[in-house]
Amino acid sequence: MSLDITPIDKWGIETNGVPLGIMGPCSAESEEQMLTTAKQLLHKNVHVFRAGVWKPRTRPNSFEGVGEIGLKWLSEVKAKTGLLVATEVASAEHVRLALKYDIDVMWIGARTSVNPFAVQEIADALYGRDIIVLVKNPINPDLELWIGALERLNQAGIKKLGAIHRGFSTYEKSKFRNAPKWQIPIELKRRHPELPVICDPSHIGGSRDLIYDISQISLNLEMDGLMIESHFDPDIALSDAKQQITPETVKKITEELHLRNHQLKDSGQLKELKNLRNQIDELDQQLISVFSQRMDIVADIGLLKKEGNVAVLQADRWDEIVNDRVSSGIDNGLSITFTKKIFEAIHQESINKQNKIIE
Ligand code: PEP
Ligand code: MN
């Protein structure tokens, strides 16, 4: 199903060709915090001021947001700075209040987009409104669920619709707070090229020093905007203090980012690109043919295992393959993770094939 989307340059936000910038504190904390931060954020790369007023927290008894009064502060920010304003909504009641205070952009948080009941309730409350709605990816890496939430809003007539990539929760520890798993937003863009996708490096990185690099990767992937958490004094922030940056740092980072063109312009470079892509196509064909030959041999081994009534998984042989391929990958300039991933996928497919033969 394709989505009926108003292109981002027709959302009525003047960005003058730079990526859409949605910046502001994780949470609204006080009138002064909001106005001070917003005034310091006034800059060509900031177009929308964000602040959460209802905060979904992992554990109870921590700061859960200021509630309705925060919406009043958002409308003051709008009146005093001319910035559009955005907040997170998680229920029909939140939508009702956000509409009452004339909030321009509503986003659905990662803990809400996992829940189709909640998303439908929000979509029904927004039915037919001409408003900008952004849907954060669900916390678990489930593209269908993300698309499903976008479809629910689109079916309620929301056309100024976009997605926010904020990374995915994983059990394994890594340098990220939420693993970016870039292949998921890339697949979203492949399936819905009409849909604007905004990157939230603050929740992906979880720390100030990662914001620049994550933002640059998102621009390299042609994402349409950035949502960055900013507080006039990040160290005293009541939520997500470690990942918030000052308005001055927002300015510095967004000015240093390299914007990418959609296509090469120079005809010599275009020719060279075409030539290189032809080589890639050719090599990919060879890969497919080698995979297929390998699978035929896997099938023969499956028959032997069936005859001999032996187990499909031979752990020692698998261990030998992993070590051997990884070290040969290293010799050929390939990363350990890449080589391991490829061979794990091949091995899994081989096991599936042999299981079918043995059954
Ligand atoms: C937020 O933007 O402050 C927030 C709570 O984000 P997420 O839903 O991505 O965790
Ligand atoms: Mn936050």
Side-chain angles (χ1 to χ4, degrees), residues 222-235:
E222 275 206 305
M223 293 205 184
D224 304 271
L226 292 167
M227 177 185 256
I228 300 180
E229 287 188 340
S230 173
H231 190 293
F232 77 98
D233 187 356
D235 288 337

Side-chain angles (χ1 to χ4, degrees), residues 64-354:
E64 291 192 318
V66 295
E68 184 172 348
I69 182 96
L71 299 175
K72 185 167 157 271
W73 301 336
L74 276 170
S75 35
E76 273 172 50
V77 163
K78 180 159 142 176
K80 297 212 165 111
T81 63
L83 289 167
L84 297 184
V85 290
T87 202
E88 172 178 348
V89 291
S91 67
E93 177 61 5
H94 292 170
V95 170
R96 187 184 70 75
L97 287 167
L99 289 170
K100 178 174 150 197
Y101 287 89
D102 216 10
I103 301 301
D104 307 285
V105 179
M106 298 186 199
W107 83 82
I108 298 183
R111 290 161 197 77
T112 307
S113 58
V114 285
N115 179 353
F117 289 129
V119 174
Q120 191 59 53
E121 176 186 315
I122 294 167
D124 292 343
L126 283 166
Y127 192 87
R129 298 273 175 174
D130 179 25
I131 188 164
I132 300 172
V133 182
L134 305 172
V135 181
K136 287 204 172 194
N137 64 257
I139 37 182
N140 49 324
D142 185 340
L143 178 59
E144 297 308 319
L145 204 51
W146 196 4
I147 292 178
L150 290 156
E151 285 172 346
R152 284 177 199 279
L153 286 146
N154 203 218
Q155 284 178 12
I158 306 296
K159 295 186 179 171
K160 292 178 182 161
L161 185 63
I164 302 178
H165 169 228
R166 52 79 78 199
F168 302 89
S169 161
T170 49
Y171 186 65
E172 311 90 58
K173 286 243 169 308
S174 83
K175 69 171 178 173
F176 300 107
R177 178 176 176 196
N178 291 288
K181 297 191 184 290
W182 294 104
Q183 68 278 13
I184 296 180
I186 289 172
E187 175 64 9
L188 176 65
K189 272 173 98 51
R190 190 187 70 79
R191 281 166 59 176
H192 289 291
E194 71 284 11
L195 181 76
V197 182
I198 287 157
C199 178
D200 171 351
S202 308
H203 289 89
I204 293 176
S207 75
R208 293 170 200 163
D209 54 322
L210 292 173
I211 309 283
Y212 178 85
D213 287 350
I214 299 168
S215 303
Q216 186 61 62
I217 294 176
S218 78
L219 296 184
N220 296 349
L221 298 175
E222 275 206 305
M223 293 205 184
D224 304 271
L226 292 167
M227 177 185 256
I228 300 180
E229 287 188 340
S230 173
H231 190 293
F232 77 98
D233 187 356
D235 288 337
I236 61 165
L238 297 181
S239 59
D240 287 350
K242 285 210 275 297
Q243 70 196 33
Q244 300 207 58
I245 56 178
T246 62
E248 198 189 333
T249 312
V250 167
K251 178 168 181 281
K252 188 165 176 291
I253 285 182
T254 56
E255 280 176 350
E256 280 175 9
L257 288 169
H258 300 283
L259 299 186
R260 308 293 184 198
N261 296 321
H262 180 58
Q263 268 179 336
L264 289 174
K265 297 206 164 77
D266 178 272
S267 69
Q269 287 179 335
L270 270 170
K271 217 171 134 199
E272 174 67 359
L273 178 68
K274 192 154 184 271
N275 171 18
L276 293 170
R277 284 189 169 155
N278 285 342
Q279 293 180 43
I280 293 264
D281 291 348
E282 173 62 30
L283 287 170
D284 284 352
Q285 273 315 315
Q286 290 180 28
L287 282 176
I288 300 264
S289 146
V290 170
F291 284 147
S292 153
Q293 288 172 43
R294 193 185 190 284
M295 278 305 157
D296 289 346
I297 299 175
V298 162
D300 289 345
I301 296 179
L303 286 173
L304 273 179
K305 285 181 182 165
K306 184 179 177 153
E307 272 170 37
N309 193 30
V310 298
V312 163
L313 177 67
Q314 308 269 316
D316 46 351
R317 165 73 179 152
W318 172 228
D319 187 50
E320 182 192 313
I321 291 190
V322 174
N323 291 329
D324 178 80
R325 306 311 186 255
V326 163
S327 88
S328 134
I330 293 173
D331 292 346
N332 286 280
L334 300 176
S335 79
I336 298 177
T337 12
F338 175 70
T339 313
K340 260 186 108 175
K341 250 196 212 155
I342 298 274
F343 279 92
E344 272 161 9
I346 293 175
H347 187 239
Q348 184 60 57
E349 186 63 14
S350 308
I351 288 181
N352 295 348
K353 187 156 189 125
Q354 295 190 349

Side-chain angles (χ1 to χ4, degrees), residues 1-2 14 37 43 45 52 55 151 275 323 347:
M1 193 186 106
S2 87
E14 280 300 322
T37 307
H43 176 259
N45 292 329
K55 299 307 296 179
E151 285 172 346
N275 171 18
N323 291 329
H347 187 239

